[in-house]
Each structure stands twice: as C-alpha cells, then as structure tokens.
Amino acid sequence: AKWQMHSFDGDSWVWKDIDEVATISCERQFRMGKLYKEGQIIARGIQVVYEINTTDDLKIVDDEITGMNMIKSDDPYEGKACRRKGVRHVIKGDEKYTDKAQKSRDMYEAEWKAEMDRKMLELKKNKECCNVQGTRGS
C-alpha cells in the first residue's frame, strides 16, 4: 500500500508517496486499527515524523482511503491532504466510513473467497488416492 500526501509541485498539485520507512510504520498501525480507534497515526520516517489525523470527511472507496490530513515535523504549520492507496483490508472500526457499494463489494469478495476455499478443499479431497495394489504380470 502507498501512503501519499497532496503537495504542490511546480505548477500543479500531485500525490507524492511518503518515504518507505514511514509507509511501513503507517501500514502497521493502520492494520492494528489505530486510525479508526484513535483517529491518529504518528509514523517516523527518514529524518522526519509524519502525523496523520482523520477528518469528518473520511471515506473508503475501492482501494483508496481519503479524508485525512498529514503534518510533517519539518513543516509543522502546513497540513496537507493525505490518502492511503492500496489493497483493501477490512479492519474493525471501518464500517462507519464505508458506503453501501463498498460493503456489497466486501460481502461479494468474502463469498467468493469462501467458494474458492470450498473448491480447493474439494479438489484436494479428489486428489487423495486410496492405496491400490497393482498386479504384476510375469
């Protein structure tokens, strides 16, 4: 997953990835549910600390979570928009921020995964052989 901040680059606004060390820390805290429980993640990167706070506009759509602000320790007076882009992980507490379409996609995905698991078990069961003794002719 990528954690990105919205920043001005020359003449336009672009999404820039934060450094790898901070991304790993953000993702670890995110999967622990800290973002939804406390509304905040603090991640140490390379020579900078990122403070990510949720806003009232927090929402989850497909592979993107928006509605967060990021403050960097080297520029503490300028908050920037922040987002997480990457594979969706259902985490306790995110139900409040998902829309009906996302909830139906999550339910479909869970049903599909259960069906695939059932098919794999059936396939493994069919691959199991009973001990059959062959006869050798002479």
Side-chain angles (χ1 to χ4, degrees):
K2 294 180 183 181
W3 287 81
Q4 300 174 324
M5 65 181 162
H6 208 213
S7 58
F8 194 72
D9 185 29
D11 58 346
S12 63
W13 287 91
V14 294
W15 288 103
K16 288 188 176 179
D17 295 348
I18 64 174
D19 63 72
E20 189 72 25
V21 175
T23 298
I24 292 168
S25 179
C26 285
E27 192 65 19
R28 183 176 295 135
Q29 293 178 54
F30 171 73
R31 292 190 187 185
M32 289 189 315
K34 200 170 181 185
L35 182 69
Y36 303 123
K37 188 187 300 183
E38 299 174 10
Q40 177 181 14
I41 291 177
I42 298 174
R44 178 176 287 165
I46 300 171
Q47 298 182 347
V48 69
V49 176
Y50 299 93
E51 180 183 335
I52 300 171
N53 298 303
T54 60
T55 64
D56 294 337
D57 301 334
L58 185 71
K59 63 181 174 181
I60 302 169
V61 178
D62 292 330
D63 65 343
E64 184 174 293
I65 300 173
T66 57
M68 298 177 282
N69 288 327
M70 176 183 288
I71 299 171
K72 292 171 54 175
S73 62
D74 61 354
D75 191 9
Y77 299 107
E78 186 177 347
K80 298 181 178 176
C82 173
R83 72 178 181 183
R84 178 191 181 271
K85 190 139 178 80
V87 177
R88 174 149 161 68
H89 294 279
V90 179
I91 295 170
K92 185 177 180 182
D94 73 354
E95 308 87 24
K96 294 188 286 186
Y97 308 107
T98 55
D99 58 350
K100 289 181 182 179
Q102 183 63 48
K103 287 179 183 178
S104 67
R105 283 191 293 270
D106 289 345
M107 191 168 58
Y108 173 78
E109 187 175 320
E111 290 172 359
W112 179 81
K113 187 176 180 186
E115 179 69 20
M116 291 306 291
D117 289 344
R118 188 188 61 75
K119 285 183 179 181
M120 287 301 290
L121 284 173
E122 188 177 307
L123 184 63
K124 284 182 182 178
K125 185 178 176 183
N126 289 340
K127 281 187 175 182
E128 289 179 4
C129 300
C130 56
N131 293 332
V132 177
Q133 290 185 332
T135 56
R136 277 180 53 189
S138 38

